Amino acid sequence: MIFIAGATGQLGNAVINALIESGTPAAQIVAGTRKPEAAAALETKGVQLRKADYADPASLDAAYQGIDTLYLVSGDAPIDIRIAQHRNAIAAAKRAGVKRIVYTSFVDTAEDSPFGFARIHADTERALAESDLDTTILRHGVYTDVLPAFVNGYAERGVASPNQHGKARFIRRADLAAAAARVLTTEGHAGKTYTLTGPTALNMADVAALLEVRSGKPVAYHVLPTADYAAILVGATGMPQWLADALAGMFAAMDRGGYDIQTGDFARLLGREAMPVETALTAQLGL
Ligand SMILES: NC(=O)c1ccc[n+]([C@@H]2O[C@H](COP(=O)([O-])OP(=O)(O)OC[C@H]3O[C@@H](n4cnc5c(N)ncnc54)[C@H](OP(=O)(O)O)[C@@H]3O)[C@@H](O)[C@H]2O)c1
């Protein structure tokens, strides 16, 4: 049995779809959520729903019974809380006799990164290495799917972020889900770390230039200090300050080069490249 954590989320749901499309019987998939009662759409796929909250070890002990492989999706809590939550999940998996954990890490896990969430992934990778379980680390590039939110209003205001020159190899959740399905259903991945990034690298000025060409309207790019950018995120979206600080730090972290990594791991797993960010972003924006 394969347990998909974060199953109501966009990535976990895409992984369930990719598993079913590639021939895994739905009866072999268990979908984890904190609110099974609100996840009826998942049940219609034929998968089993189980309540699992990283903050509630007892729920994890019950949820992981009979599970061979756990696809551990990183949570969405602040840094120190999330570090403890992921450790709860790994400890519960061990207690329940789970054989293998496949973890959704991040392309750059440098603990001194201005993107504070890198610390979470570094800690979880460490906990997995110490767990004695078979583990596979999937280091994800920044999702192409989140870019539209960061260029919202580009036609009126241009694009702004703390990123100066450093590039990122953005990749779609759908491509990451296809890679996950391959890893979850084939042998030979124990002890491996795969860095899953897209085939092309762009910085945020390149993104603005792309939007200018495709929209036919001028799109200026503005570099902002991280604190100013975080304040704009809080004001425009109401997101909590800790999250805005992390996201602003992510754009600053792009300048250190750690997001522009191409290992060939994606193509080796799937025999094709991921969709280039240029194609995916312009399709998402209807350009
Ligand atoms: N690489 C990137 O660019 C990037 C971008 C955004 C996010 N991420 C990371 O990737 C993860 C998946 O992304 P996504 O787009 O699928 O996010 P999403 O749509 O927001 O889904 C997050 C999932 O995490 C689950 N979750 C949150 N807290 C939990 C807890 N305490 N216990 C158990 N499950 C919990 C939620 O499940 P329920 O609410 O159903 O319990 C939900 O299914 C995110 O959580 C985040 O860590 C990466």
Side-chain angles (χ1 to χ4, degrees), residues 248-275:
M250 182 185 79
F251 287 109
M254 275 171 71
D255 286 321
R256 295 169 23 128
Y259 295 12
D260 185 3
I261 306 290
Q262 179 59 292
T263 57
D265 288 342
F266 184 90
R268 271 191 292 280
L269 280 172
L270 288 176
R272 65 170 174 87
E273 288 292 356
M275 185 182 284

Side-chain angles (χ1 to χ4, degrees), residues 3-40:
F3 188 99
I4 306 298
T8 61
Q10 296 157 92
L11 179 67
N13 193 53
V15 172
I16 290 175
N17 291 340
L19 283 170
I20 292 172
E21 280 161 20
S22 61
T24 301
Q28 286 178 18
I29 302 171
V30 178
T33 169
R34 287 168 295 182
K35 294 190 200 117
E37 64 284 359

Side-chain angles (χ1 to χ4, degrees), residues 96-277:
V98 169
K99 296 182 185 64
R100 183 158 77 113
I101 299 181
V102 177
Y103 174 63
T104 63
S105 186
F106 188 63
V107 61
D108 179 2
T109 60
E111 294 190 79
D112 64 346
S113 171
F115 181 45
F117 293 177
R119 274 211 292 128
I120 300 168
H121 298 295
D123 184 84
T124 304
E125 288 196 10
R126 204 159 34 237
L128 287 167
E130 291 163 2
S131 71
D132 294 331
L133 297 173
D134 282 353
T135 61
T136 307
I137 309 294
L138 305 180
R139 288 189 173 167
H140 290 173
V142 181
Y143 299 165
T144 306
D145 317 66
V146 302
L147 266 179
F150 292 112
V151 301
N152 193 24
Y154 70 88
E156 297 79 36
R157 296 185 293 278
V159 173
S161 91
N163 169 242
Q164 300 192 49
H165 302 292
K167 300 188 184 223
R169 290 178 177 267
F170 298 92
I171 183 165
R172 295 180 312 157
R173 288 188 189 91
D175 283 321
L176 294 168
R182 182 61 54 90
V183 167
L184 289 166
T185 55
T186 55
E187 298 295 321
H189 308 295
K192 299 269 176 68
T193 295
Y194 298 119
T195 300
L196 303 175
T197 52
T200 55
L202 299 185
N203 59 30
M204 293 306 286
D206 296 331
V207 169
L210 173 71
L211 297 178
E212 178 164 304
V213 169
R214 297 292 175 91
S215 69
K217 296 177 190 145
V219 180
Y221 179 62
H222 312 280
V223 179
L224 294 179
T226 50
D228 294 5
Y229 185 67
I232 290 171
L233 289 179
V234 171
T237 67
M239 73 172 61
Q241 187 71 45
W242 63 266
L243 182 56
D245 288 341
L247 295 174
M250 182 185 79
F251 287 109
M254 275 171 71
D255 286 321
R256 295 169 23 128
Y259 295 12
D260 185 3
I261 306 290
Q262 179 59 292
T263 57
D265 288 342
F266 184 90
R268 271 191 292 280
L269 280 172
L270 288 176
R272 65 170 174 87
E273 288 292 356
M275 185 182 284
V277 57

